[in-house]
Amino acid sequence: MAKSPAWTRSEGKNPKGGLNAKGRASAKAQCMNLKPPAPKPKTSKDAARRKSFCARMEGMKKVNTSAKTAKDPNSRINKSLRAWNC
């Protein structure tokens, strides 16, 4: 039986939030084009990507999380927001 892709399992996830290189590679194999976080953007394009990500994730956090999860520093959404310096 085939395993699920690495990006859906813990081995493809970065403990600090988001996906690690192995997770991004397995997502790319499924026709997803994911880039690493841009916490300190060097170009205006990366700055716009970071701004867009932060706005999108803050909205998702308000809608899709419980009050307990929203305050939990170890939740995946809060870890990814920290990784992007949101």
Side-chain angles (χ1 to χ4, degrees), residues 13-81:
K13 295 179 181 177
N14 185 338
K16 294 183 180 179
L19 298 176
N20 59 22
K22 186 174 186 175
R24 285 192 302 274
S26 72
K28 188 172 185 174
Q30 292 188 326
C31 299
M32 294 181 222
N33 186 18
L34 302 175
K35 297 177 184 177
K40 298 175 186 168
K42 293 180 174 84
T43 65
S44 61
K45 194 172 184 179
D46 279 348
R49 189 166 69 91
R50 180 185 166 276
K51 184 178 177 182
S52 174
F53 174 85
C54 291
R56 190 170 62 249
M57 289 301 280
E58 287 290 345
M60 288 173 66
K61 182 177 172 180
K62 287 179 187 174
V63 174
N64 295 334
T65 60
S66 65
K68 181 180 176 185
T69 305
K71 294 178 183 176
D72 180 15
N74 292 321
S75 70
R76 296 298 301 172
I77 196 163
N78 287 334
K79 286 180 177 183
S80 64
L81 287 169

